[in-house]
Amino acid sequence: MKIKKEIDLHSVKSHAEDSMEDKLELSDFTSLKSLINTKFPHKGFCVSYLDNEVLIGKYDGNGLKFYQNKLPEPQFIQKLRLFNETQELLLWRKKWKDTCGEFSFRLRVDGDGIETDVIDAKQVLWGTTAKKLEDGFTEISEIRGTKIILPFNDIEVDDKDKRVFILTRNYISYDTNDSSYQQAGYVDCRFVKFTDENGNILGGELDG
């Protein structure tokens, strides 16, 4: 299998909001949904990294939809990304004690803010065989046993070039100590969209 590595350096206007020193506590899915509805009232995809699995679903601007109605309970969330082409809400667990946990978030929005250099790159997902499931979901898998369930079915994969990708956007900052020295580095990274090997959007267009 040969996957062509592609990166795209360009600039966008962008700004970010984070929880800073504010204490953010979540106890159950209801409290998680309230935070999401407040910070991200738009359609998007959700990738939730739990302690024992990864859930990938869709968000309609009000509610999350995962395969077989599974839900990411806060006590098991390590990290959660809710994203579309213009923005992403990143949530991560700092600690959990008894019945509630302390979390932090970052909301990154493109299209408004400071002109920022970015690098877009495609991240390949494991999966060379696709099986359509109910409710518009698809399972992609490999012989080695890796399985991912995606919330759309416009998927064609094989063990050659046809694969599913996540387009990531990496934000660059330039640190300057004096007029003769400048160092570039990544200060943020977000998910943008699912694509095929040719960059075509998978899962449909989502508003921002």
Side-chain angles (χ1 to χ4, degrees), residues 7-21:
I7 61 172
D8 174 25
L9 172 63
H10 60 285
S11 63
V12 299
K13 289 185 177 180
S14 184
H15 70 274
E17 170 194 348
D18 60 42
S19 49
M20 301 295 287
E21 300 301 321

Side-chain angles (χ1 to χ4, degrees), residues 10 18 23 33 46 64 78 95 98 107 130 141 148-149 187 191:
H10 60 285
D18 60 42
K23 191 173 183 180
K33 184 176 182 293
C46 181
L64 290 163
Q78 296 181 4
K95 61 181 180 181
D98 298 328
L107 177 66
S141 61
I148 300 174
I149 296 178
V187 293
F191 289 175

Side-chain angles (χ1 to χ4, degrees), residues 13-55:
K13 289 185 177 180
S14 184
H15 70 274
E17 170 194 348
D18 60 42
S19 49
M20 301 295 287
E21 300 301 321
D22 294 339
K23 191 173 183 180
L24 174 62
E25 290 188 344
L26 300 176
S27 59
D28 53 19
F29 182 76
T30 300
S31 59
L32 172 64
K33 184 176 182 293
S34 177
L35 172 69
I36 290 174
N37 291 162
T38 300
K39 296 297 181 181
F40 201 98
H42 311 282
K43 294 180 181 178
F45 291 106
C46 181
V47 179
S48 184
Y49 301 88
L50 307 181
D51 290 337
N52 62 341
E53 64 179 326
V54 177
L55 296 179

Side-chain angles (χ1 to χ4, degrees), residues 45 56 83 125 150 152 164-166 193-195 200-202:
F45 291 106
I56 302 178
F83 63 95
L125 299 184
L150 299 171
F152 43 86
V164 177
F165 298 82
I166 293 180
K193 58 186 176 182
F194 291 98
T195 77
N200 298 313
I201 296 174
L202 298 177

